[in-house]
DNA sequence: TCCGCCATTCTTGTATACAAGAATTGCCTG
DNA sequence: CAGGCAATTCTTGTATACAAGAATGGCGGA
């Protein structure tokens, strides 16, 4: 799964066990679309995904829908309850923090390797990615900033020059996507995020691997006041406590 | 997926998207068994997994076999080539090293958290797990040692008290299982592995988190002479270069 | 003899059928 | 009126059927 600067953001949601995706199975296409709906909040955590209903919506039989749900289930996006159907996985605040901690560790590793391995051209490209965020910051558009921010983070994964690490980081990033977006809705978070990015860029570009690793870890980890912020965002987004499980 | 000391080793290969596994689907059981065969080297990397053949072997229809292969595919154990069948995922030496690097990072995080968070009883239990390996070392039985070694590593994941991290580490451990086994076949590796384990236990039990993290990282990472050893093991196990892809 | 093309066979992908377990509703009882 | 039991309905899990694409083998030509 090679990264390119022109890569469309919609690519980032893909669930692909397939090798060559020229003629993918219906199940894979469906997994992408259902996963997209979940990421966009169309299906809230805990809500049931009815096979027949989805089959009718997409105009296919139950078989590929089932296979799609199994893919999403193995990826952790939905939870398969044997003989009781699939539901969107509910993520407790506790678990969310755990996931962010692991994300921080992976990104930290990426940043360290990026500082150690990236070429001068790659570092310039990274700086360009960062600069591209400035517009979104000035217009204070969290959604636009989220997209550019995402590309920036993914660029760092890529600069690790460890393809497997990049894949793992992308996969986790995908699962955390809805929540990372929420985080940016907190007042002034966009501005502080942007400032933190700059520090990361500086560390990577000067080859300061320890610094780069620590800075991005601090940037990603949900700690202190940011935990309370996240809780508040979750409560608002879920329209009630049920969504938290 | 709660860990218990009495947990049977056969549990360690499970591919479980299911919530409660009291009445699992056939597909999940099949995924476990097929995954076990792959881990044990019954199916070599690159070899094809025929749906009908597997169905007949297990006395079921193609449907649950297909679903099992999809689960294994999403987990990365097999590669699904659309309309061309499933094959055991081929891992190049390059990629294998990348995977071990990520495994080292995750285990390092586990060990650090274990040193920080584990209780006195838990530390005692970990030491007991380590002591249990001594028999296998003395009899120099790599396969037996592998099993106890695996339990030891998984115990550390559990002591991290980060369930998500534990799951991720277990999943990657599963993918690396066949190769970790191979590594132990190298002369004297069992002995050195055991010695390294002891150092890790000491660090965790004294709460030396940095030391614990570094020691287990060094233990897991494939570096220096061990890379050549691994290459040699791969070549022998694969009965030729084709198995490496 | 070797390469390439076509027909055949086989395998996978999707749809449908059927069975078994879960959820629901209504009724009966306390 | 509430709680629990039972029959019904619905959903999932597995098996089978069918169609379309891939692999294979044989034939013909260079």
């Amino acid at each position: 799964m090679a990264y390119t600067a022109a890569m469309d953001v919609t690519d980032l949601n893909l669930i692909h066990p397939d090798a060559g995706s020229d003629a993918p199975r219906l199940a894979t296409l469906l997994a992408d679309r259902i996963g997209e709906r979940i990421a966009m909040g169309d299906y809230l955590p805990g809500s049931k995904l009815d096979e027949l209903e989805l089959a009718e919506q997409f105009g296919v039989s139950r078989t590929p829908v089932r296979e799609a749900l199994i893919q999403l289930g193995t990826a952790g996006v939905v939870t398969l309850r044997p003989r009781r159907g699939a539901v969107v996985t509910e993520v407790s605040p506790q678990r969310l923090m755990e996931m962010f901690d692991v994300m921080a560790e992976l990104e930290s590793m990426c940043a360290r390797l990026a500082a150690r391995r990236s070429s001068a051209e790659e570092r310039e490209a990274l700086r360009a990615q960062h600069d591209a965020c400035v517009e979104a910051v000035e217009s204070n558009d969290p959604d636009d900033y989220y997209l550019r921010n995402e590309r920036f983070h993914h660029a760092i994964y890529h600069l690790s020059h460890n393809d497997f690490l990049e894949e793992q980081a992308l996969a986790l990033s995908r699962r955390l996507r809805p929540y990372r977006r929420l985080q940016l809705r907190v007042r002034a978070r966009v501005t502080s995020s942007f400032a933190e990015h700059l520090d990361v860029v500086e560390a990577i570009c000067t080859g300061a691997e320890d610094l780069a690793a620590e800075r991005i870890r601090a940037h990603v980890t949900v700690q202190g006041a940011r935990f309370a912020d996240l809780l508040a965002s979750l409560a608002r987004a879920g329209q009630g406590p049920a969504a938290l499980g």
Side-chain angles (χ1 to χ4, degrees), chain A:
Chain A
M1 191 194 277
Y3 176 94
T4 68
M7 186 159 111
D8 194 275
V9 287
T10 54
D11 289 3
L12 304 175
N13 243 36
L14 306 183
I15 307 277
H16 278 301
D18 303 10
S21 309
D22 321 318
R25 298 174 301 125
L26 263 180
T28 298
L29 298 175
L30 291 173
D32 290 344
R33 299 195 55 184
I34 296 170
E36 183 72 16
R37 288 188 182 182
I38 292 171
M40 287 309 160
D42 297 345
Y43 299 122
L44 291 177
S47 61
K48 197 178 171 205
L49 299 170
D50 188 90
E51 293 178 5
L52 201 59
E53 191 180 314
L54 288 167
E56 285 170 0
Q57 281 182 32
F58 290 108
V60 298
S61 78
R62 274 179 57 217
T63 307
V65 171
R66 252 187 94 69
E67 295 186 351
L69 291 177
I70 289 169
Q71 291 183 206
L72 291 167
T74 308
V77 178
V78 309
T79 303
L80 305 178
R81 304 167 307 173
R83 269 158 274 276
R84 299 183 52 218
V87 297
V88 179
T89 300
E90 303 194 42
V91 181
S92 68
Q94 158 82 21
R95 173 161 255 256
L96 198 52
M97 282 205 47
E98 292 180 358
M99 292 171 77
F100 272 110
D101 278 355
V102 174
M103 185 84 253
E105 185 81 15
L106 291 180
E107 294 215 13
S108 173
M109 181 177 180
C110 288
R112 164 172 271 112
L113 293 176
R116 202 186 297 169
R117 298 176 173 173
S118 59
S119 69
E121 300 81 50
E122 289 172 331
R123 291 172 187 196
E124 272 321 296
L126 180 66
R127 204 182 279 276
Q129 291 273 23
H130 172 67
D131 292 341
C133 296
V134 76
E135 297 173 29
V137 175
E138 285 172 353
S139 61
N140 201 23
D141 179 345
D143 283 337
D144 185 35
Y145 180 77
Y146 177 74
L147 290 178
R148 297 169 190 268
N149 162 73
E150 191 171 51
R151 263 182 281 204
F152 173 77
H153 279 269
H154 293 185
I156 294 177
Y157 307 164
H158 188 60
L159 292 197
S160 74
H161 292 275
N162 178 325
D163 289 352
F164 181 75
L165 173 60
E166 184 182 355
E167 287 169 27
Q168 295 295 112
L170 278 172
L172 184 49
S173 161
R174 197 160 53 222
R175 284 177 74 173
L176 288 174
R177 205 178 180 204
Y179 306 102
R180 273 191 157 172
R181 276 183 73 214
L182 282 180
Q183 286 187 294
L184 290 173
R185 304 206 104 85
V186 172
R187 222 181 83 73
R189 180 64 192 138
V190 165
T191 311
S192 62
S193 166
F194 183 68
E196 288 166 19
H197 281 195
L198 181 59
D199 291 339
V200 170
V201 171
E202 286 309 322
I204 289 177
C205 289
T206 57
E209 53 178 277
D210 289 343
L211 206 56
E214 267 325 298
R215 282 178 176 172
I216 203 154
R217 181 194 300 280
H219 173 64
V220 173
T221 305
V222 178
Q223 57 190 352
R226 294 205 357 235
F227 180 57
D229 292 343
L230 183 59
L231 279 186
S233 304
L234 281 170
R236 223 186 306 176
Q239 306 291 347
L244 286 181

